[in-house]
Amino acid sequence: MSEKDYSKIIELEKIHHTKLFPKRDYVIVKGKGALLYDEKGNEYIDCVAGHGVMNIGHSHPKYIEAMKKQIQKLVMVPPGYPVEERARLLEKLAQITPKSLTQTFLSNSGTEAVEAAIKLVLAANRDKKNPEIIAFKRDFHGRTLGSLATTFNMKYRKPFMSWLSSNVKYASFGNIDSVKELVNENTAAIITELVQGEGGVHPSPEDFPKALRELCDEKDLILIDDEVQTGFGRTGKMFAYEHYNVTPDVLCVAKAIAGGLPMGATIAPEELYNKFNVGEHNTTFGGNPLVCAAANATINILMKEKLAENAASQGEKMITDFKRLAEENENIRGVRGKGLMIGVDFKKPVKERIINAASKGVFFLNAGLTVIRLLPPLVISNDQTEKVIKVMREISQ
Ligand SMILES: Cc1ncc(COP(=O)(O)O)c(C=O)c1O
């Protein structure tokens, strides 16, 4: 394609995609591992990874092979028709999550995974007139109207308040007393991210998840663990709850699960799913054979290549260096993270620094106005980690 053709692509995106997505002025043409390439052949280390989706990296040969095979065999049959790829995935999810979580509803995104969890809470609390859910300040759980009601930031919620449930209360993340104060006879569930992502990359304090678990047991509440962003190796373990030794009642996952294809999953005990009557929840695309084959290949790659371990070690290198940098550099307020989910919190907005990093060959993401967030593919190499550290040092001056 000529330079003119690429300019046309950028122009068409600007004209016909909504202004919800401010556009870059280059075209991404391919990806390999932790790298992306633009139309001029420029190479970028992709610390955005499709907003924390591409944990196995771009164009993994095993993933490509599995996709080619599956697309020739079978793409779509609805959830009521048993197929090998779905059966294998459901079994695998039951095997890699806590023993009590035996059943899964497969959907197409993180927000749908959370919607299913909310509906599950309501189905299990038919006796309560006004079931309430406790979420946390800084939480992000999605943008459809149910999950949006549990998302804290007013920027996302305000225009839509008239349609959002008022049965969500927000406690302070990490403060169990603030949760206890909100519990009343209508409280049905608590939803939490164990490392808050969108809200600025805040890992939970060490003992907090256990305190939440105890409170849920004592008050008979459902504990929903939203691992849409933290799941599948991102934090250095397959799931973030493993860092805290807690078992949630409902686990919501999405993003990295299917290596880049859309999938969400809501995993819970059979007794809980039995609270739904047939037809009370459903999906057209969720759990189709193509995306299930993608998820099977992705989970196999994650496990075989020990990518959670690589996330732990590369993440530690980055976090250690960024903390050193923060001591020397007064522009930085703090560094937080777990594994390869890292936030560098600056005192001022980071937009220009992120643009500058791209010009030096590294894509960074933001979390709010002042945090540079890193969610690189978990296949990132030592050399690539070194380059990310170098560029972070340069752009933080
Ligand atoms: C913790 C968490 N939950 C839910 C969502 C919503 O996921 P999706 O954008 O796939 O709907 C996100 C997205 O960033 C997330 O980080």
Side-chain angles (χ1 to χ4, degrees), residues 208-227:
F208 184 59
K210 244 194 187 133
L212 285 179
R213 179 68 274 171
E214 281 163 20
L215 182 65
C216 287
D217 289 343
E218 186 193 328
K219 303 282 183 189
D220 196 20
L221 311 177
I222 295 169
L223 182 60
I224 306 169
D225 175 14
D226 177 351
E227 298 233 17

Side-chain angles (χ1 to χ4, degrees), residues 51 53 108-114 139-144 147 151 192-193 195-198 226-230 252 254-255 263 341 373:
H51 293 194
V53 167
N108 314 286
S109 63
T111 198
E112 282 175 79
V114 172
D139 264 5
F140 184 92
H141 297 295
R143 296 172 188 270
T144 50
S147 66
T151 287
T192 185
E193 295 168 87
V195 182
Q196 292 178 314
E198 283 286 322
D226 177 351
E227 298 233 17
V228 167
Q229 196 161 142
T230 52
C252 298
K255 284 198 189 282
M263 175 181 269
M341 184 167 177
R373 182 170 28 153

Side-chain angles (χ1 to χ4, degrees), residues 310-326:
N310 196 49
S313 64
Q314 304 295 344
E316 194 180 321
K317 271 186 234 164
M318 285 193 205
I319 293 171
T320 306
D321 193 273
F322 296 160
K323 284 193 170 160
R324 213 174 291 141
L325 175 63

Side-chain angles (χ1 to χ4, degrees), residues 76 148 214 298 306 360:
M76 173 68 195
L148 183 60
E214 281 163 20
T298 300
K306 298 190 183 342
K360 292 171 183 291

Side-chain angles (χ1 to χ4, degrees), residues 383-396:
D383 287 352
Q384 289 164 342
T385 290
E386 291 303 325
K387 174 157 183 193
V388 169
I389 288 171
K390 180 169 168 277
V391 168
M392 180 64 84
R393 285 189 165 263
E394 288 170 8
I395 60 129
S396 57

Side-chain angles (χ1 to χ4, degrees), residues 13-290:
E13 285 242 9
K14 282 188 178 154
I15 296 170
H16 296 298
H17 214 175
T18 73
K19 71 171 184 192
L20 289 167
F21 311 102
K23 297 287 180 183
R24 273 77 174 169
D25 54 5
Y26 39 84
V27 180
I28 300 299
V29 293
K30 65 177 182 185
K32 184 82 197 143
L35 299 173
L36 286 175
Y37 296 86
D38 71 14
E39 82 284 9
K40 295 196 177 83
N42 294 316
E43 181 182 284
Y44 304 90
I45 300 178
D46 181 18
C47 293
V48 174
H51 293 194
V53 167
M54 301 307 296
N55 289 15
I56 60 166
H58 300 277
S59 309
H60 194 293
K62 292 242 158 59
Y63 183 81
I64 293 172
E65 194 187 309
M67 289 295 83
K68 277 185 177 166
K69 228 164 109 188
Q70 188 61 38
I71 209 156
Q72 285 168 346
K73 186 178 149 198
L74 186 66
V75 171
M76 173 68 195
V77 285
Y81 295 77
V83 286
E84 180 186 354
E85 297 73 22
R86 190 187 308 113
R88 294 212 185 286
L89 176 62
L90 293 170
E91 182 189 35
K92 202 168 298 185
L93 290 174
Q95 284 165 350
I96 63 173
T97 57
K99 239 193 180 146
S100 51
L101 308 190
T102 54
Q103 295 200 339
T104 297
F105 181 85
L106 293 169
S107 53
N108 314 286
S109 63
T111 198
E112 282 175 79
V114 172
E115 293 287 335
I118 294 171
K119 285 177 75 174
L120 201 45
V121 167
L122 299 181
N125 284 275
R126 293 173 204 255
D127 54 323
K128 290 192 171 83
K129 215 167 135 206
N130 241 345
E132 288 181 3
I133 295 182
I134 297 174
F136 291 95
K137 292 174 185 165
R138 292 195 306 248
D139 264 5
F140 184 92
H141 297 295
R143 296 172 188 270
T144 50
L145 296 173
S147 66
L148 183 60
T150 62
T151 287
F152 180 69
N153 194 334
M154 266 301 176
K155 180 177 132 194
Y156 304 135
R157 268 191 299 146
K158 201 168 172 205
F160 314 107
M161 284 305 264
S162 58
W163 274 47
L164 298 183
S165 171
S166 54
N167 293 326
V168 180
K169 304 284 183 284
Y170 296 95
S172 299
F173 190 58
N175 179 344
I176 195 66
D177 290 333
S178 77
V179 187
K180 287 180 180 167
E181 277 165 24
L182 294 177
V183 175
N184 61 49
E185 71 281 4
N186 285 317
T187 311
I190 297 174
I191 184 166
T192 185
E193 295 168 87
L194 293 174
V195 182
Q196 292 178 314
E198 283 286 322
V201 189
H202 293 268
S204 168
E206 205 55 46
D207 295 333
F208 184 59
K210 244 194 187 133
L212 285 179
R213 179 68 274 171
E214 281 163 20
L215 182 65
C216 287
D217 289 343
E218 186 193 328
K219 303 282 183 189
D220 196 20
L221 311 177
I222 295 169
L223 182 60
I224 306 169
D225 175 14
D226 177 351
E227 298 233 17
V228 167
Q229 196 161 142
T230 52
F232 298 98
R234 170 63 54 200
T235 67
K237 301 233 183 237
M238 189 57 116
F239 298 105
Y241 64 74
E242 297 170 38
H243 291 288
Y244 298 99
N245 257 322
V246 286
T247 301
D249 299 307
V250 182
L251 181 63
C252 298
V253 293
K255 284 198 189 282
I257 185 172
L261 287 190
M263 175 181 269
T266 309
I267 312 168
E270 182 183 358
E271 310 87 80
L272 199 48
Y273 267 119
N274 284 345
K275 307 286 181 184
F276 270 143
N277 296 317
V278 173
E280 284 181 344
H281 197 50
N282 207 337
T283 169
T284 296
F285 290 118
N288 68 68
L290 181 66

